[in-house]
Amino acid sequence: MESVFSNVVRAPEDPILGVTVAYNNDPSPAKLNLGVGAYRTEEGKPLVLDVVRKAEQQLVNDPSRVKEYIPIAGLADFNKLSAKLILGADSPAIQESRVATIQCLSGTGSLRVGAEFLKKHYHQSVIFIPKPTWGNHPKVFNLAGLSVEYYRYYDPATRGLDFQGLLEDLGAAPSGAIVLLHACAHNPTGVDPTSEQWEQIRQLIRSKSLLPFFDSAYQGFASGSLDTDAHSVRTFVADGGGCLIAQSYAKNMGLYGERVGALSIVCKSSDVASKVESQVKLVVRPMYSSPPIHGASIVATILKSSDMYNDWTIELKGMADRIISMRQQLFEALQAKGTPGDWSHIIKQIGMFTFTGLNKEQVAFMTKEFHIYMTSDGRISMAGLSSKTVPHLVEAIHAAVTRVA
């Protein structure tokens, strides 16, 4: 008998996760995975932060802890501390109780809950996202019922920001449109606006009554400073206008698989914030009822203790510094090799990813000949590199640039 699902066609592999599948199937000892967006040590191993292990131990040893459901909005301590981390302890928005914060399933879940809320309660259903952006962004917003438009962001000629194009496209956006902004460490390009450029972007967004929706996946992980990486968000909140912020603790606490994040919506008054929170809970309830307890408890334990918080900032800076050092090593090795082209963008870009400027054919060549795996747009994860593997990557880039057009 024919299955009722026999007409279902096989879905294509996720382009990012598919890189890891191909890597895992490659028997070569020289293989290198630069596709995955997760931190690796110098030895190429996943890292669990010492402070995370300490917090977990504390939680496990507490006999009063139970596994009951937590509220729809999540752990109150976690929410309060998450808002404080991104907005700053002295934020007027927090002091005036104008922020509605909900614990969500990492960054993706925070974006999706925010998008569903906007579709139901905001007068505009168009969202402008940068071109390029993280591959999941358009899917998340489309499935929530928003219509996705793009604004220019990356300039392949300079391997930097197309600032003029960005201003023109946002300037032409309809009044009230939603704008997705990467708070720092833009994925996939690693190209961020300067402080002065952020200020121009803020003025333009406010003058056109556009609604900023920040994706903050890398706070502290880009520069090594939690405050520096929150600068863009804080300048928008300081002007008293509204915005949404999706936060993730995947990268900066290494809690990838715990799926810990938060959605904060900054409002004009505490009354509005309280109504907004009540409606966001109505989005969450039929979606997954309430969030998981473990990861958020780890975050709250660390953020609540000044000793643990300090330990975390040191470990976080260690991760950021290793990535910055990999950029420097790769750039210097390409220069020493005499690889054609200007590679200074590698040290100008920031965060986990570098947009190399390599084309699809060059990427395919590097995979086939050198067993180096990355996404076809030439994005490499700097966290997947080590001092030992830089020479292999440089050989491959040099061969690709000189032998493949």
Side-chain angles (χ1 to χ4, degrees):
M1 184 181 151
E2 200 178 359
S3 160
V4 289
F5 297 118
S6 54
N7 62 334
V8 174
V9 296
R10 184 177 304 282
E13 282 274 11
D14 180 286
I16 297 171
L17 303 180
V19 171
T20 301
V21 173
Y23 167 82
N24 289 337
N25 292 335
D26 185 342
S28 168
K31 67 181 179 177
L32 181 58
N33 186 1
L34 300 178
V36 68
Y39 183 80
R40 294 289 179 264
T41 62
E42 177 68 26
E43 293 69 46
K45 299 278 186 284
L47 176 69
V48 179
L49 300 185
D50 290 341
V51 73
V52 165
R53 291 212 186 273
K54 192 172 165 188
E56 273 189 312
Q57 205 53 60
Q58 199 172 300
L59 293 167
V60 168
N61 292 343
D62 179 357
S64 69
R65 275 183 63 75
V66 291
K67 299 290 187 185
E68 295 289 294
Y69 293 122
I70 57 175
I72 298 169
L75 289 178
D77 269 358
F78 168 85
N79 290 337
K80 201 167 80 198
L81 293 160
S82 293
K84 188 173 139 187
L85 187 72
I86 189 68
L87 301 181
D90 54 355
S91 172
I94 293 177
Q95 286 161 3
E96 294 156 20
S97 305
R98 294 191 282 111
V99 188
T101 303
I102 305 272
Q103 180 192 331
C104 294
L105 305 180
S106 206
T108 308
S110 306
L111 290 163
R112 182 63 187 268
V113 168
E116 298 274 352
F117 167 78
L118 289 169
K119 177 64 182 164
K120 286 191 178 73
H121 299 283
Y122 187 59
H123 63 90
Q124 264 281 16
S125 62
V126 63
I127 182 163
F128 281 75
I129 67 178
K131 189 171 181 63
T133 191
W134 180 45
N136 221 11
H137 278 147
K139 298 170 192 169
V140 166
F141 296 122
N142 273 324
L143 282 171
L146 299 176
S147 69
V148 172
E149 299 281 346
Y150 289 88
Y151 62 90
R152 280 171 281 173
Y153 189 86
Y154 177 73
D155 180 357
T158 62
R159 293 175 188 173
L161 185 66
D162 180 358
F163 189 53
Q164 217 36 57
L166 179 153
L167 294 178
E168 282 171 22
D169 290 350
L170 293 185
S175 173
I178 309 155
V179 180
L180 179 81
L181 300 164
H182 295 229
C184 67
H186 180 273
N187 176 6
T189 68
V191 173
D192 284 354
T194 63
S195 297
E196 295 73 31
Q197 288 171 332
W198 270 120
E199 179 52 26
Q200 280 183 258
I201 293 167
R202 186 192 67 76
Q203 288 174 12
L204 174 63
I205 282 177
R206 293 311 192 199
S207 72
K208 292 206 44 124
S209 301
L210 305 175
L211 178 64
F213 193 158
F214 284 96
D215 186 354
S216 175
Y218 298 97
Q219 188 186 355
F221 195 91
S223 67
S225 158
L226 289 156
D227 291 328
T228 300
D229 291 349
H231 169 77
S232 61
V233 175
R234 291 176 188 176
T235 56
F236 276 77
V237 174
D239 70 15
C243 67
L244 291 85
I245 308 140
Q247 270 173 284
S248 164
Y249 289 97
K251 274 59 175 195
N252 60 13
M253 277 199 194
L255 295 173
Y256 304 95
E258 297 291 357
R259 314 307 293 138
V260 198
L263 170 71
S264 286
I265 304 179
V266 180
C267 306
K268 281 283 189 195
S269 68
S270 61
D271 180 49
V272 173
S274 147
K275 289 172 182 167
V276 163
E277 184 181 326
S278 74
Q279 288 294 343
V280 177
K281 289 199 282 198
L282 293 189
V283 171
V284 168
R285 179 67 173 143
M287 198 188 277
Y288 55 85
S289 235
S290 68
I293 192 169
H294 186 68
S297 301
I298 294 170
V299 173
T301 302
I302 292 168
L303 297 183
K304 251 189 302 203
S305 151
S306 58
D307 285 351
M308 280 193 187
Y309 179 87
N310 289 335
D311 290 346
W312 172 50
T313 58
I314 292 163
E315 288 194 81
L316 177 54
K317 187 166 180 349
M319 289 192 286
D321 285 352
R322 190 181 96 71
I323 288 175
I324 291 165
S325 137
M326 283 303 108
R327 287 183 179 281
Q328 197 63 43
Q329 286 182 42
L330 178 58
F331 170 65
E332 286 170 7
L334 284 164
Q335 274 201 313
K337 179 88 176 161
T339 304
D342 174 9
W343 297 94
S344 61
H345 59 283
I346 292 172
I347 46 177
K348 287 178 192 157
Q349 294 171 7
I350 192 169
M352 187 174 275
F353 301 110
T354 286
F355 224 42
T356 57
L358 297 164
N359 62 38
K360 273 195 173 98
E361 293 71 29
Q362 290 167 332
V363 169
F365 167 83
M366 286 168 62
T367 303
K368 183 169 179 283
E369 300 295 329
F370 290 87
H371 306 275
I372 291 174
Y373 291 83
M374 64 181 99
T375 49
S376 61
D377 57 8
R379 181 195 85 166
I380 61 173
S381 171
M382 297 309 293
L385 263 186
S386 70
S387 303
K388 291 193 288 286
T389 55
V390 164
H392 181 53
L393 177 60
V394 168
E395 285 293 326
I397 292 175
H398 188 86
V401 169
T402 51
R403 288 160 56 187
V404 183

